Amino acid sequence: MLINFFFIFFFQVAKREANITIFAYIYTAARSEAMLASESYDTIPYVLAIPNGRPLTPFERLVKPFHYIIWICYSSTLFIAVVFIYMLRFIGKTRIINLVQGDRNQTPLTYLLSILYGISIHKNIPYGNFARFLFNSWVLYNLVLRSAYNGELFKMLHDGTIHNDVETIEQVVQENYTIYTFPSLAEVIKYVQPKAHLKPFDGVYNLDSTLQRIGDENNQEKIAICLLKLTIEYYNQMNPTKRVKILPQILLSSPLVFFMPHHSFLRLRAASFILETHQAGLMRRYRTLILYTTPKKQRQHGEATNLSMSVLMGLFYVYGALMILCIFVFILEMLSKRYRKLQIFLDFLNI
C-alpha cells in the first residue's frame, strides 16, 4: 500500500540504505532527529475534505428554497389570516367586516390566495383606510417572499444538490465525523481538537479508497480526510463525478522537504537545486502542470438548461394531490343538493 511505502522510504533513509526521499514529506522534530532535512522547497496547506452533498429529491426541490423557520412563519401567517376571516364571518357584524376587509370585498379568502400566488386583482379593492393598510401589507409581504422563493427555486431546479454546510474543523468534530489521516498529522489534529475522532490509514481504508467513499454521493457515512490541499485538488480533477468538498479552514501549513541520512554528501547539492528551482519559478510551473483544470464555476444567472421529469416530479405529485382534493370538493358539492346541513356548511366556507 502507498502508506506502507512512506514508512519503507523513511526506514531506508534512516538506515542509510537510500540516499534521499523524493516525495511530499512534511518537516517534524522527530523526523529531523532520525534524518537530515533539506531546505523547504514548497509550503502547502493541509485541509480537510468532506462529502460534497447528495442529490435533492423532487419534493425537496420545492421546499428547500426556504429554511424551515421561514416556512413556519409563512404558514403561520397564512393560517392566522384564514382563521381571522372565518371569525369575522362567524361573528357576522357588517360594520366590523367592512372595516377589516372592505365593503365591496365579498370573497376575502379568494383575494388572499390570489395575492399569495401573484394573481393581479382589479375589482372590489378595499377603500377604507384600515382595509387598504391590511391589503397593501399582505401584498408587500407576499411580493418579497414570493420573489425570493422563485429565485431560489430556479437555482434549486438547475443545481439539485444539497451542499454540505460544514465549514470548520469545529463543526466536523461536532457532527461526529471520522477523520482519516497520517499518524504525524493525527497528533496535530488531536492537539487542536482533543475530541476529534481520528483513524489512521490502513490496508482496508487507504488514501484513494477513502477519497472515493467521501466522493460517493450515495454514501451516508460521516467521514473526512486530512491531506495536502494539492492532493485533494488533484483528486477532484481526476474524478469529476466524485468530487469532495475542501474546507476553507486551513488546518496547518507545513514546509515540504527532502530527507537524507545524517552527514549526507547530497545536502549542499540539494540546497543548491532547491534554490535554483525557486528562482526559476519551477514550483509554480509544476503546480500548473499538475492542476491543469480550474475549479468548477457556479452557474451564471439565467443560463438555460433542460429540466428533466425527475426534477419536476415533486410538482406533479403536489398537483395530483390537489386534483384529488378538487374531486373530493366536487363530490361534496353534488351531495349538498340533497343534504341541507352540508349546503349550509359549504356556503359558510365559500368565501
Side-chain angles (χ1 to χ4, degrees), residues 254-312:
S254 177
L256 302 182
V257 297
F258 300 137
F259 283 105
M260 300 164 284
H262 283 297
H263 312 293
S264 174
F265 65 92
L266 293 176
R267 178 181 181 180
L268 295 178
R269 187 68 187 94
S272 176
F273 172 77
I274 293 173
L275 179 62
E276 293 174 357
T277 301
H278 279 298
Q279 292 176 342
L282 292 181
M283 291 307 302
R284 188 181 300 106
R285 175 59 178 168
Y286 173 73
R287 285 174 181 264
T288 59
L289 292 176
I290 295 297
L291 299 176
Y292 49 83
T293 61
T294 56
K296 185 179 180 180
K297 296 183 179 180
Q298 296 182 352
R299 183 182 301 276
Q300 297 295 325
H301 178 70
E303 184 178 347
T305 186
N306 293 327
L307 299 178
S308 62
M309 183 66 179
S310 60
V311 172
L312 297 175

Side-chain angles (χ1 to χ4, degrees), residues 335-347:
L335 294 175
S336 65
K337 297 180 179 180
R338 297 183 180 181
Y339 302 97
R340 179 62 180 172
K341 292 183 178 180
L342 182 59
Q343 180 67 46
I344 295 174
F345 177 73
L346 292 179
D347 290 339

Side-chain angles (χ1 to χ4, degrees), residues 63-310:
V63 300
K64 191 66 177 177
F66 281 165
H67 195 265
Y68 72 95
I69 296 295
I70 304 298
W71 281 117
I72 292 175
C73 295
Y74 203 8
S75 58
S76 300
T77 306
L78 180 61
F79 176 77
I80 293 173
V82 173
V83 171
F84 190 69
I85 290 174
Y86 280 106
M87 284 181 60
L88 292 177
R89 186 174 178 83
F90 180 77
I91 293 173
K93 292 185 178 181
T94 306
R95 183 178 179 182
I96 299 178
I97 294 176
N98 293 338
L99 176 65
V100 175
Q101 67 186 35
D103 55 351
R104 297 185 179 184
N105 187 3
Q106 302 300 321
T107 55
L109 184 59
T110 302
Y111 278 22
L112 186 78
L113 297 178
S114 298
I115 297 173
L116 177 66
Y117 296 126
I119 302 174
S120 60
I121 299 175
H122 303 285
K123 297 181 179 180
N124 300 330
I125 298 176
Y127 291 102
N129 292 330
F130 182 69
R132 282 190 298 173
F133 180 79
L134 288 178
F135 179 81
N136 292 324
S137 299
W138 182 249
V139 170
L140 178 62
Y141 179 74
N142 284 274
L143 175 63
V144 175
L145 289 179
R146 187 173 61 252
S147 300
Y149 178 82
N150 291 337
E152 289 299 318
L153 180 63
F154 176 82
K155 293 190 292 185
M156 288 293 175
L157 292 176
H158 291 75
D159 184 16
T161 58
I162 295 179
H163 299 288
N164 204 325
D165 295 330
V166 177
E167 299 292 339
T168 63
I169 185 174
E170 289 81 6
Q171 292 177 312
V172 171
V173 176
Q174 291 175 0
E175 295 289 336
N176 197 26
Y177 276 77
T178 300
I179 304 176
Y180 289 89
T181 186
F182 299 104
S184 57
L185 293 176
E187 299 177 1
V188 178
I189 299 176
K190 206 66 178 178
Y191 177 78
V192 177
Q193 291 290 333
K195 296 182 180 180
H197 183 206
L198 303 175
K199 192 170 185 179
F201 295 112
D202 52 35
V204 179
Y205 301 122
N206 55 45
L207 188 150
D208 186 65
S209 65
T210 304
L211 286 171
Q212 292 286 343
R213 289 165 60 204
I214 296 175
D216 187 1
E217 61 183 20
N218 297 319
N219 188 10
Q220 302 299 323
E221 296 179 283
K222 287 188 175 183
I223 54 178
I225 189 172
C226 182
L227 287 174
L228 289 170
K229 186 177 181 180
L230 184 65
T231 304
I232 302 175
E233 290 175 341
Y234 181 75
Y235 166 82
N236 285 339
Q237 173 180 272
M238 302 305 296
N239 299 271
T241 60
K242 290 188 175 182
R243 293 176 179 266
V244 299
K245 177 182 177 180
I246 301 176
L247 293 188
Q249 182 184 19
I250 296 176
L251 184 63
L252 75 155
S253 295
S254 177
L256 302 182
V257 297
F258 300 137
F259 283 105
M260 300 164 284
H262 283 297
H263 312 293
S264 174
F265 65 92
L266 293 176
R267 178 181 181 180
L268 295 178
R269 187 68 187 94
S272 176
F273 172 77
I274 293 173
L275 179 62
E276 293 174 357
T277 301
H278 279 298
Q279 292 176 342
L282 292 181
M283 291 307 302
R284 188 181 300 106
R285 175 59 178 168
Y286 173 73
R287 285 174 181 264
T288 59
L289 292 176
I290 295 297
L291 299 176
Y292 49 83
T293 61
T294 56
K296 185 179 180 180
K297 296 183 179 180
Q298 296 182 352
R299 183 182 301 276
Q300 297 295 325
H301 178 70
E303 184 178 347
T305 186
N306 293 327
L307 299 178
S308 62
M309 183 66 179
S310 60

Side-chain angles (χ1 to χ4, degrees), residues 319-335:
Y319 182 73
L322 293 177
M323 289 297 100
I324 295 175
L325 181 61
C326 290
I327 296 174
F328 177 73
V329 174
F330 175 76
I331 295 174
L332 291 179
E333 292 285 355
M334 298 298 294
L335 294 175

